[in-house]
Amino acid sequence: MMKKKIMSASKASLVLLLCQMVSALDVPLDLSQPPTITQQSPKDYIVDPRENIVIQCEAKGKPPPSFSWTRNGTHFDIDKDAQVTMKPNSGTLVINIMNGGKAEAYEGVYQCTARNERGAAISNNIVIRPSRSPLWTKEKLEPNQVREGDSLVLHCRPPVGLPPPIIFWMDNAFQRLPQSERVSQGLNGDLYFSNVQPEDTREDYICYARFNHTQTIQQKQPISVKVFSMDSLNDTIAANLSDTDIYGAKPVTERQPVLLTPTGSTSTKVELRGNVLLLECIAAGLPTPVIRWIKEGGELPANRTFFENFKKTLKIVDVSEADSGNYKCIARNTLGSAHHVISVTVKAAPYWITAPRNLVLSPGEDGTLICRANGNPKPDISWLANGVPIAIAPEDPSRKVDGDTIIFSQVQERSSAVYQCNASNEYGYLLANAFVNVLAEPPRILTAANKLYQVIADSPALLDCAYFGSPKPEIEWFKGVKGSILRGNEYVFHDNGTLEIPVAQKDSSGTYTCVARNELGKIQNEVQLEVKDPTMIIKQPEYKVIQRYGQVSFECIIKHDSTLLPTVIWLKDNGELPGDERFLVGKDNLTIMNVTDKDDGTYTCIVNTTLDSVSASAVLTVVAAPPTPAIIYARPNPPFDLELTGQLERSVELSWVPGDENNSPITNFVIEYEDGLHEPGVWHHQTEVPGTQTTVQLKLSPYVNYSFRVIAVNEIGRSQPSEPSEQYLTKSANPDENPSNVQGIGSEPDNLVITWESLTGFQSNGPGLQYKVSWRQKDVDDEWTSVIVANVSKYIVSGTPTFVPYEIKVQALNDLGYAPEPSEVIGHSGEDLPMVAPGNVQVHVINSTLAKVHWDTVPLKTVRGHLQGYKVYYWKVQSLSRRSKRHVEKKILTFRGNKTFGMLPGLEPYSSYKLNVRVVNGKGEGPASPDKVFKTPEGVPSSPSFLKITNPTLDSLTLEWGSPTHPNGVLTSYILKFQPINNTHELGPLVEIRIPANESSLILKNLNYSTRYKFYFNAQTSVGSGSQITEEAVTIMDEAMASRQVDIATQGWFIGLMCAVALLILILLIVCFIRRNKGGKYPVKEKEDAHADPEIQPMKEDDGTFGEYSDAEDHKPLKKGSRTPSDRTVKKEDSDDSLVDYGEGVNGQFNEDGSFIGQYSGKKEKEPAEGNESSEAPSPVNAMNSFV
């Protein structure tokens, strides 16, 4: 179902035509003219007696009119009444009631006169009456006792008010009394019961009268009704009569209808034309009668007839003389019928056939004023001139009165006046002012210049040319500035100057010229007409049957003129959508989530633009959900029916129809495009839109042959792509953008290589893509040098000075023109090697492995390129301890930026070094500075190269060693430390021996037999001790004792003991694991306290260290009670050296500013400490503790 409204052609043209006809007769206010009444109060004016009375009278004229009033036919002197004022520049009266005045004192008939030198206009007779809301007259109300089944009328009899009050019946709780076919209120306010029932018994039937003008409600005293049933009535009578009395109250008997109102068989009714005719019939009877209405000799008027009050009231709106006749109401029940005939006569107050209109004449012209009215009875016509009966008005030779017409001939300026026509009969009067204004004026066009008219294609176009002139100008229309005059059946020319094009087409758009001319001059005006494409719903909502709690979507895909902005409104059953978050309104659809039964109904999509409106409807039927089958979720089906609309140079609208979502709502659509001109077969991502959207406005680039496809996406995945849309080739245009990443870097000292990223064919915007490359030397007053090159990405400028800055720009162009002016970038011509070496190179040795080198920067002009930094070449010449040269291995550290110093780490102690410094740019390194020699001081030696223990005897061992690989100075001695280890791995006392540096072996005597010893050996220079080397050895045992030794590991009892220990450990592990899973804690601390092991001491609570225990792998002899940190960390030596100054090279890492980011340190064996050290393997208890 689709309905379309395009500014209702007939209605729009009629309204516009009437408005323009009025405006065409309006005299511009800058010209002399008699007064015209523009606003006045109604003829019958009922006012609120508590508020000020405002009697309106507004008029226009040139010169501005003055105002006066009459009251009850005599002059009303407002200056003598302090309560009455007149508004400035107006004739409106304000009577001050709120400050002491009384409204009743100002009742009467008022008339306003507006006067200037060209005439006088008068208002209607305005009858002022204050509203009245009198109290109810007091009356004694007897209770109504009624027998069940009888009829009853409760009289309201409201006080007479002005205007009459509105009547309604309520109870004490201010609840309206229910009404039905049996009980209803009549037009006079009475409450009618066709028959009473026991439930009608109550004591609070109250009639209310509401007086709207005074906003008051008057209440009648409550009326009591008591209904007696036949059974209770018989019981009461029987109790009061003797046995000999014969009485029996009749049971409730049915009765045929009898009319309660109107009474009798006939009545009459007079109503005025245009009013509402109300006829009423209310009947008594049991069963309750049903009312039916007919018109004798005719039909009830269609479309104007209504039934109210359960068909007891016949209502005919806007009655006319044709509605006169006999109307019969028939009351019928099962026992019979009753009827009443109402003879209706429709009279008519005067109404206009032709009202007099203002007349503008030029001197010497003729004209007429016509005043024709009708009514029943026919009204009398009388004329007044400037508010005075024309019979006694001043004579005018150009004027002649002929009944309802005044004829003017050869008028002169003195003929200007205001004439009043009065048409009256016994039911009312009409009064109209019409002036005759004698003017001589050249044409003028009142319509605004270049006014724009917009219409929908195939609908009428009305172009306005409101004009004024005296004599009346002739109007001609032309299309275009120099077009020919418009004639023919395709145009309609209205008297008010309007040009009508009954069926405007797209080619009707353009400029139209209106020309107005009379004998005093000529003038023209241009207006513009734009004819727009109609709005259409290309995919309408469809009838849907949806299961309860499901989801449904109605589509409303539209096509409209690209210059009009549509608004889409959804209605349900012609009303607003429920304010429920389940209703989701998208751009072109309506989705209802979690559908319920109340969502059943008709849904309408209305599309409005400023010029037209279309709508389409569909019905939603909600049904119960069947047993839920297994839901299969899958990717959506691909969209289909792709359509391109609204094609413009840089945009197009793409619409599609979604495929089946396969039980998983579509979350979004992906739109891709193919450029068939530049990259056929390659699809690119264009945009994404939400899953509720099925149209999108796409931005386009020029000179691209577009095809589009759409992919639907849900939670399961992406659909297959849709079939491609039709192709759309956009027009060529200048490039929109210039190449990016423009750079200027010389490859040789005498050139400049300009490079850029070329535009793609998609970006070219047209055929013949080229580039305009421009350059000039910076800070030199040179002109730009330009060259146009083909579609490449590099251009080389030769013959440039070495390393000078250039301003560079690259602009794209094609066959249609240039891209926007590009931005400039700074490049440099080619670099050359630096010319000079750094000077004043100085070296400061910090310690045996670290030195700091200083140099002076070179002048930037000698760098001849981008300064990247300085390189320090350094190498070891010889070791001072050996006095022997070796192969020279140069090391390099680079210090970035314009630095003047750097740190040289990783030097070897007691050595001679050389270094030089070179400056570096993008081309390479400059010359080296003269070699600088420096020496490092002595350091501690490395560990001895080896330590061998040979020739063990009962009490001696022979030690042999090699000198350190890196003595790092002059060796002064060797230090040997050793201590015994007993069978429990406890360490004995430590012995230290100093050995001359020239020795390489030593025989230790007086040792214990069959004893293990641990040895610690290191070398010394004058600086200190070097790293130590360790070894262990055992003296041999006495042969006699050896024969008594038994291999305990082969004894049966030892093997059995070890198996028992292993089983015990396994059981403990299982118990511990079970308790741990149950949340318990293994009481390790308590077991340790109860079964203290002499070799295992508890951790001390104050510092977290173990007493008298150390890992044997540290190779340290420990004194009893000595402590080492529990985390086995060794504090590093403090150093004052900054790491910021270390360069980057083979032995270290450096960041870009030359700072050292590596770690430079040597590994050292820990010093032995005296004392006992346990080196035994962990005991089973230790293993258990570590597990827990």
Side-chain angles (χ1 to χ4, degrees):
M1 290 186 292
M2 186 169 79
K3 301 178 182 176
K4 183 158 186 171
K5 299 177 283 183
I6 306 182
M7 296 288 288
S8 182
S10 60
K11 216 178 254 188
S13 61
L14 179 60
V15 171
L16 183 60
L17 184 61
L18 290 175
C19 294
Q20 290 174 335
M21 288 177 66
V22 172
S23 64
L25 296 176
D26 280 348
V27 180
L29 279 176
D30 61 331
L31 299 178
S32 296
Q33 56 185 292
T36 301
I37 301 289
T38 59
Q39 193 173 2
Q40 57 183 314
S41 293
K43 293 178 182 178
D44 190 8
Y45 188 17
I46 300 174
V47 298
D48 190 332
R50 301 166 299 181
E51 297 179 354
N52 292 341
I53 301 173
V54 178
I55 312 176
Q56 289 184 326
C57 180
E58 304 290 342
K60 65 177 182 178
K62 181 70 180 292
S66 59
F67 297 89
S68 61
W69 285 86
T70 62
R71 179 183 173 190
N72 298 328
T74 61
H75 176 66
F76 182 37
D77 191 348
I78 62 175
D79 294 332
K80 293 183 178 180
D81 192 333
Q83 302 294 339
V84 182
T85 57
M86 185 183 295
K87 290 185 177 181
N89 303 317
S90 166
T92 297
L93 295 182
V94 179
I95 302 174
N96 197 331
I97 301 300
M98 300 178 70
N99 285 339
K102 290 191 175 182
E104 292 79 3
Y106 292 93
E107 284 191 64
V109 180
Y110 293 78
Q111 190 172 43
C112 170
T113 301
R115 186 184 308 275
N116 68 9
E117 62 188 28
R118 286 193 165 241
I122 62 175
S123 71
N124 291 320
N125 287 327
I126 302 169
V127 179
I128 301 295
R129 294 184 295 169
S131 65
R132 289 186 290 274
S133 53
L135 298 176
W136 233 292
T137 56
K138 291 184 178 181
E139 56 181 319
K140 185 177 181 181
L141 299 177
E142 297 291 340
N144 292 275
Q145 297 187 1
V146 193
R147 187 174 60 177
E148 179 182 357
D150 288 352
S151 62
L152 175 65
V153 179
L154 299 182
H155 298 287
C156 180
R157 299 190 186 97
V160 178
L162 185 65
I166 296 172
I167 306 301
F168 52 94
W169 288 80
M170 302 178 75
D171 59 16
N172 275 331
F174 296 101
Q175 298 297 314
R176 284 187 177 269
L177 295 175
Q179 297 192 23
S180 61
E181 288 184 343
R182 186 178 63 85
V183 182
S184 61
Q185 177 182 317
L187 294 176
N188 63 353
D190 292 347
L191 190 63
Y192 292 86
F193 295 78
S194 295
N195 52 80
V196 295
Q197 301 295 327
E199 60 264 25
D200 296 327
T201 299
R202 62 190 308 151
E203 296 181 353
D204 56 349
Y205 286 92
I206 305 173
C207 182
Y208 288 87
R210 183 174 68 224
F211 298 89
N212 283 341
H213 260 69
T214 56
Q215 297 294 311
T216 57
I217 296 178
Q218 303 289 355
Q219 172 185 339
K220 187 182 179 74
Q221 289 178 318
I223 302 175
S224 174
V225 173
K226 173 78 171 173
V227 178
F228 292 98
S229 67
M230 289 300 97
D231 292 339
S232 62
L233 187 59
N234 282 336
D235 291 342
T236 302
I237 295 174
N240 290 285
L241 293 177
S242 65
D243 294 337
T244 58
D245 292 329
I246 299 173
Y247 181 84
K250 297 179 181 179
V252 176
T253 56
E254 296 181 343
R255 303 187 315 279
Q256 67 180 26
V258 175
L259 287 174
L260 298 175
T261 184
T263 57
S265 60
T266 62
S267 61
T268 60
K269 173 78 171 182
V270 175
E271 192 56 79
L272 292 182
R273 178 180 183 270
N275 287 355
V276 176
L277 173 65
L278 292 174
L279 303 178
E280 179 182 56
C281 276
I282 300 177
L286 186 67
T288 303
V290 176
I291 306 295
R292 186 169 66 91
W293 291 88
I294 60 172
K295 182 180 181 183
E296 293 181 343
E299 298 291 333
L300 295 174
N303 302 323
R304 295 188 293 116
T305 300
F306 303 92
F307 297 101
E308 296 179 347
N309 198 17
F310 310 99
K311 291 192 175 182
K312 299 174 187 178
T313 302
L314 171 66
K315 177 180 179 180
I316 302 176
V317 300
D318 192 23
V319 295
S320 63
E321 287 88 340
D323 294 322
S324 297
N326 293 330
Y327 292 82
K328 178 188 286 187
C329 69
I330 303 168
R332 185 183 303 276
N333 67 8
T334 55
L335 300 183
S337 64
H339 68 269
H340 185 94
V341 176
I342 306 173
S343 179
V344 175
T345 303
V346 178
K347 299 290 186 179
Y351 56 92
W352 290 118
I353 296 176
T354 304
R357 301 174 59 85
N358 292 338
L359 190 61
V360 179
L361 301 173
S362 64
E365 275 193 314
D366 301 337
T368 58
L369 286 179
I370 300 175
C371 177
R372 289 179 184 156
N374 201 358
N376 186 10
K378 188 171 182 65
D380 295 326
I381 304 294
S382 60
W383 288 96
L384 296 88
N386 296 326
V388 177
I390 200 165
I392 60 174
E395 287 287 336
D396 183 354
S398 65
R399 178 182 70 210
K400 178 182 178 183
V401 179
D402 184 8
D404 59 8
T405 303
I406 302 180
I407 304 170
F408 298 91
S409 56
Q410 297 292 316
V411 296
Q412 300 302 319
E413 187 173 354
R414 65 176 180 275
S415 302
S416 296
V418 183
Y419 291 88
Q420 290 82 33
C421 172
N422 187 304
S424 60
N425 66 12
E426 62 186 278
Y427 297 108
Y429 73 93
L430 294 173
L431 178 69
N433 290 275
F435 64 64
V436 175
N437 196 17
V438 181
L439 293 172
E441 286 292 327
R444 60 172 73 182
I445 294 179
L446 307 178
T447 300
N450 291 313
K451 185 174 181 180
L452 176 63
Y453 293 89
Q454 296 178 327
V455 298
I456 295 296
D458 298 327
S459 64
L462 294 165
L463 308 183
D464 189 13
C465 184
Y467 64 88
F468 182 79
S470 186
K472 181 181 178 181
E474 295 181 356
I475 302 298
E476 293 177 327
W477 281 92
F478 300 84
K479 184 175 182 185
V481 179
K482 297 182 179 179
S484 58
I485 188 170
L486 297 180
R487 291 189 176 90
N489 295 330
E490 56 185 311
Y491 301 104
V492 177
F493 303 95
H494 294 279
D495 289 341
N496 63 349
T498 297
L499 169 66
E500 180 180 351
I501 306 174
V503 183
Q505 302 295 330
K506 293 286 283 188
D507 58 2
S508 303
S509 299
T511 302
Y512 290 80
T513 303
C514 164
V515 178
R517 58 164 58 90
N518 67 10
E519 60 190 36
L520 300 179
K522 167 186 170 184
I523 193 171
Q524 68 180 38
N525 185 40
E526 293 179 0
V527 296
Q528 308 295 324
L529 174 62
E530 291 182 358
V531 181
K532 307 290 186 179
D533 291 326
T535 304
M536 295 184 292
I537 300 179
I538 58 177
K539 186 164 181 60
Q540 302 179 27
E542 298 176 347
Y543 172 73
K544 295 287 180 74
V545 177
I546 191 67
Q547 295 170 4
R548 195 179 299 133
Y549 311 122
Q551 175 181 321
V552 67
S553 183
F554 290 107
E555 289 185 297
C556 185
I557 301 176
I558 63 174
K559 180 180 179 182
H560 62 91
D561 193 286
S562 59
T563 61
L564 299 177
L565 296 178
T567 58
V568 179
I569 301 172
W570 286 90
L571 303 178
K572 179 180 184 294
D573 297 330
N574 294 323
E576 293 185 359
L577 289 177
D580 192 330
E581 60 185 9
R582 297 182 300 108
F583 288 78
L584 305 176
V585 178
K587 178 183 177 183
D588 47 21
N589 62 12
L590 168 66
T591 301
I592 308 173
M593 314 289 291
N594 195 21
V595 173
T596 64
D597 290 336
K598 66 181 181 181
D599 298 329
D600 207 278
T602 300
Y603 290 84
T604 304
C605 166
I606 301 176
V607 185
N608 294 314
T609 69
T610 54
L611 298 181
D612 63 350
S613 176
V614 292
S615 64
S617 299
V619 174
L620 172 64
T621 301
V622 181
V623 297
T628 305
I631 299 176
I632 300 176
Y633 300 95
R635 295 187 224 178
N637 293 348
F640 57 94
D641 282 356
L642 272 66
E643 182 180 9
L644 296 179
T645 56
Q647 289 91 339
L648 299 175
E649 292 185 4
R650 293 295 182 104
S651 68
V652 69
E653 186 174 271
L654 173 66
S655 60
W656 62 91
V657 178
D660 195 326
E661 61 187 21
N662 291 329
N663 299 315
S664 179
I666 295 174
T667 57
N668 58 293
F669 291 101
V670 178
I671 292 89
E672 296 181 338
Y673 72 91
E674 175 196 30
D675 182 1
L677 192 62
H678 303 104
E679 293 182 288
V682 180
W683 290 92
H684 301 274
H685 181 273
Q686 172 90 3
T687 187
E688 292 188 19
V689 298
T692 57
Q693 187 172 329
T694 57
T695 61
V696 64
Q697 194 78 17
L698 300 174
K699 293 183 179 179
L700 306 181
S701 293
Y703 194 53
V704 177
N705 194 12
Y706 281 99
S707 291
F708 299 97
R709 70 184 188 184
V710 183
I711 299 171
V713 182
N714 64 10
E715 290 185 356
I716 310 304
R718 294 161 64 103
S719 72
Q720 292 294 319
S722 68
E723 291 296 321
S725 70
E726 61 182 298
Q727 291 189 330
Y728 176 46
L729 178 62
T730 55
K731 294 182 180 179
S732 301
N734 294 13
D736 291 326
E737 53 187 309
N738 288 301
S740 60
N741 198 23
V742 177
Q743 293 182 331
I745 303 173
S747 61
E748 298 295 336
D750 61 347
N751 74 8
L752 172 66
V753 180
I754 303 173
T755 60
W756 60 89
E757 289 185 11
S758 301
L759 299 181
T760 64
F762 182 83
Q763 297 170 309
S764 65
N765 284 10
L769 178 63
Q770 293 178 298
Y771 301 100
K772 179 181 178 182
V773 185
S774 305
W775 68 90
R776 68 180 178 186
Q777 191 171 335
K778 192 174 184 295
D779 301 327
V780 177
D781 192 15
D782 279 353
E783 295 294 328
W784 287 95
T785 302
S786 300
V787 62
I788 294 179
V789 299
N791 188 10
V792 295
S793 59
K794 181 172 73 174
Y795 181 77
I796 301 176
V797 181
S798 302
T800 64
T802 301
F803 195 67
V804 294
Y806 278 86
E807 294 175 317
I808 304 166
K809 56 184 180 181
V810 181
Q811 186 177 23
L813 67 148
N814 60 20
D815 291 349
L816 278 80
Y818 286 86
E821 185 66 21
S823 57
E824 300 169 8
V825 298
I826 304 299
H828 287 82
S829 57
E831 300 181 64
D832 206 346
L833 294 177
M835 299 172 60
V836 299
N840 193 24
V841 177
Q842 301 291 331
V843 178
H844 171 60
V845 177
I846 296 175
N847 56 39
S848 60
T849 61
L850 182 66
K852 186 175 185 180
V853 59
H854 290 265
W855 63 87
D856 290 342
T857 58
V858 299
L860 288 179
K861 289 186 178 180
T862 66
V863 177
R864 299 200 295 180
H866 295 285
L867 175 63
Q868 294 187 353
Y870 293 87
K871 281 188 178 181
V872 177
Y873 286 74
Y874 65 101
W875 63 95
K876 180 180 175 182
V877 178
Q878 66 178 12
S879 173
L880 297 179
S881 59
R882 292 193 177 89
R883 301 295 179 184
S884 61
K885 293 188 178 181
R886 64 175 184 174
H887 172 69
V888 175
E889 180 183 353
K890 289 188 176 181
K891 299 182 180 180
I892 306 171
L893 286 177
T894 301
F895 298 92
R896 298 192 182 279
N898 197 16
K899 297 199 69 171
T900 59
F901 65 92
M903 306 297 288
L904 304 180
L907 302 177
E908 294 185 14
Y910 206 50
S911 301
S912 176
Y913 280 87
K914 286 185 179 181
L915 65 77
N916 59 53
V917 185
R918 310 176 192 195
V919 67
V920 183
N921 66 10
K923 187 72 172 178
E925 302 173 6
S929 65
D931 290 348
K932 188 74 174 180
V933 179
F934 66 96
K935 298 177 181 178
T936 56
E938 285 189 82
V940 296
S942 63
S943 60
S945 56
F946 66 88
L947 174 63
K948 295 193 296 183
I949 304 174
T950 61
N951 301 326
T953 66
L954 288 173
D955 61 351
S956 69
L957 293 169
T958 300
L959 281 68
E960 297 177 357
W961 62 85
S963 61
T965 307
H966 301 287
N968 294 338
V970 179
L971 295 180
T972 59
S973 62
Y974 292 100
I975 303 297
L976 173 65
K977 299 177 182 178
F978 63 93
Q979 57 189 154
I981 305 174
N982 62 18
N983 289 335
T984 61
H985 298 282
E986 290 181 348
L987 296 175
L990 187 67
V991 178
E992 181 176 326
I993 302 174
R994 185 176 297 274
I995 304 169
N998 57 356
E999 298 289 341
S1000 61
S1001 64
L1002 175 67
I1003 298 175
L1004 283 177
K1005 297 181 179 181
N1006 300 322
L1007 301 177
N1008 297 330
Y1009 65 87
S1010 188
T1011 302
R1012 178 177 293 276
Y1013 287 89
K1014 186 168 187 178
F1015 299 91
Y1016 311 90
F1017 191 70
N1018 63 293
Q1020 278 191 331
T1021 64
S1022 60
V1023 175
S1025 298
S1027 303
Q1028 65 184 12
I1029 187 171
T1030 63
E1031 280 292 342
E1032 291 185 7
V1034 181
T1035 58
I1036 64 174
M1037 65 177 66
D1038 184 7
E1039 293 181 2
M1041 292 182 63
S1043 66
R1044 294 196 298 269
Q1045 284 289 100
V1046 179
D1047 188 358
I1048 192 172
T1050 62
Q1051 300 300 308
W1053 66 268
F1054 180 77
I1055 295 173
L1057 177 63
M1058 290 299 102
C1059 290
V1061 170
L1063 180 60
L1064 178 62
I1065 292 173
L1066 179 61
I1067 293 172
L1068 288 173
L1069 287 172
I1070 293 173
V1071 171
C1072 178
F1073 180 75
I1074 293 173
R1075 294 196 61 184
R1076 185 180 184 91
N1077 282 346
K1078 290 183 177 180
K1081 296 184 179 179
Y1082 190 73
V1084 178
K1085 185 70 170 65
E1086 296 172 6
K1087 285 183 177 289
E1088 290 175 348
D1089 292 343
H1091 307 284
D1093 192 322
E1095 294 181 359
I1096 303 172
Q1097 297 300 323
M1099 181 180 286
K1100 296 185 179 180
E1101 296 180 355
D1102 56 344
D1103 58 1
T1105 62
F1106 288 95
E1108 299 187 18
Y1109 181 80
S1110 174
D1111 191 345
E1113 294 177 358
D1114 284 346
H1115 307 297
K1116 284 188 179 180
L1118 300 174
K1119 293 182 180 180
K1120 281 191 176 182
S1122 67
R1123 302 177 185 174
T1124 59
S1126 61
D1127 58 1
R1128 304 296 183 188
T1129 58
V1130 179
K1131 185 178 179 182
K1132 294 182 180 179
E1133 294 181 359
D1134 295 336
S1135 173
D1136 296 331
D1137 296 336
S1138 171
L1139 296 180
V1140 176
D1141 300 323
Y1142 287 83
E1144 59 186 5
V1146 262
N1147 293 333
Q1149 295 181 351
F1150 301 83
N1151 57 24
E1152 293 186 357
D1153 62 358
S1155 59
F1156 183 65
I1157 61 174
Q1159 180 179 356
Y1160 178 70
S1161 64
K1163 275 193 170 184
K1164 299 174 74 176
E1165 293 271 356
K1166 296 178 182 177
E1167 290 290 336
E1170 294 183 0
N1172 295 328
E1173 179 178 347
S1174 173
S1175 59
E1176 66 177 350
S1179 69
V1181 179
N1182 278 338
M1184 182 62 72
N1185 288 339
S1186 64
F1187 177 79
V1188 175

